[in-house]
Amino acid sequence: MSNKNTPTPHIKANEADIAKVVLMPGDPLRSKFVAENFLESPVLFNNVRGVQGYTGTWRGERISVMASGMGMPSIGIYSYELYNFFDVDCIIRIGSAGALQENVKVKDIVFGMGACTNSSYAEQYALGGTYAPICDFDTLKTATEIADEMGISYHVGNLFSSDTFYDENGGGLKWQKMGVLAVEMEAAALYMNAARAGKRALAICTVSDSLVTGESTTSDERMSGFTDMMKLALDLAVKIQKK
């Protein structure tokens, strides 16, 4: 059950303005790109702090797309409010990640089955142990089925959600030894918020660069070039609403 006290300090919308499934890129411009290039009749429901959110339709189903900003504190705020104030059922992160394994190539897609982290985000729950953030399995299973149908190259496994982009200790490559596929900055907080709210979440990341080979993409390529991930996520949003 949602808290009807909306709009919130960060999302200037009412509950009815936002669909039950929200695609969540980090970059507000990527949110705008998805809305303008894929959604039918998109309507801007939020632009507080330039964090753009739109609702439209895809294949006849109502879907929202809204940016999360960078890092766990930022996605922590927006996903918490969407789950707990706007009664969103599922958030699908569509972001970028850096490959940590040699077989994970630039422009491959990684589905985050779990999200390791160096963040203290879970300390708020006072669990007395180490929490392992994981995605919703049914959403993951459906996503891989769509990827197979689309003929997309993908990997399923652990992400490393880092609190630091510029890491003095080279922490990302240490996680490589534990079989972690790629590093990003948001999935762990999203998964924890989903678990606490009894909702669903999945992080889908396109590999933008490789910490192994040094290959990388430009910011323009990251904004508009990850269209396979966007189409996959949109089709996923349709399928899980029809179940």
Side-chain angles (χ1 to χ4, degrees), residues 186-208:
E186 288 84 24
L190 172 63
Y191 288 0
M192 284 187 251
N193 277 353
R196 184 66 183 86
K199 302 297 182 75
R200 294 179 289 169
L202 175 64
I204 306 174
C205 294
T206 299
V207 175
S208 59

Side-chain angles (χ1 to χ4, degrees), residues 38-170:
F38 296 101
L39 295 182
E40 292 183 17
S41 305
V43 175
L44 181 72
F45 66 77
N46 186 67
N47 199 24
V48 177
R49 296 173 179 252
V51 176
Q52 297 177 25
Y54 299 83
T55 297
T57 59
W58 173 258
R59 304 194 194 283
E61 290 291 329
R62 195 162 175 263
I63 297 168
S64 294
V65 56
M66 184 178 129
S68 71
M70 289 190 289
M72 282 175 273
S74 186
I75 198 171
I77 290 170
Y78 292 113
S79 61
Y80 184 94
E81 292 186 358
L82 288 172
Y83 285 136
N84 295 286
F85 292 87
F86 295 93
D87 205 24
V88 167
D89 291 333
C90 182
I91 296 175
I92 303 167
R93 165 162 157 70
I94 48 172
S96 58
L100 294 175
Q101 302 296 330
E102 190 171 0
N103 68 315
V104 180
K105 308 298 184 184
V106 169
K107 296 187 179 178
D108 282 358
I109 284 177
V110 176
F111 296 114
M113 183 165 57
C116 309
T117 186
N118 59 359
S119 170
S120 60
Y121 195 88
E123 289 185 8
Q124 64 182 301
Y125 307 118
L127 297 169
T130 302
Y131 182 74
I134 59 172
C135 72
D136 175 71
F137 176 75
D138 186 61
T139 305
L140 170 62
K141 181 173 180 290
T142 305
T144 60
E145 290 169 352
I146 295 170
D148 288 336
E149 292 169 2
M150 294 176 66
I152 290 174
S153 176
Y154 67 88
H155 309 267
V156 180
N158 264 332
L159 295 167
F160 171 51
S161 298
S162 178
D163 256 347
T164 50
F165 187 87
Y166 299 103
D167 193 327
E168 291 289 331
N169 296 310

Side-chain angles (χ1 to χ4, degrees), residues 5-54:
N5 187 23
T6 56
T8 68
H10 310 97
I11 304 175
K12 191 177 181 180
N14 296 308
E15 184 177 330
D17 297 331
I18 304 176
K20 292 299 183 182
V21 179
V22 177
L23 273 56
M24 185 162 272
D27 186 350
L29 291 179
R30 196 178 299 159
S31 176
K32 185 173 186 285
F33 180 89
V34 172
E36 292 182 346
N37 289 274
F38 296 101
L39 295 182
E40 292 183 17
S41 305
V43 175
L44 181 72
F45 66 77
N46 186 67
N47 199 24
V48 177
R49 296 173 179 252
V51 176
Q52 297 177 25
Y54 299 83

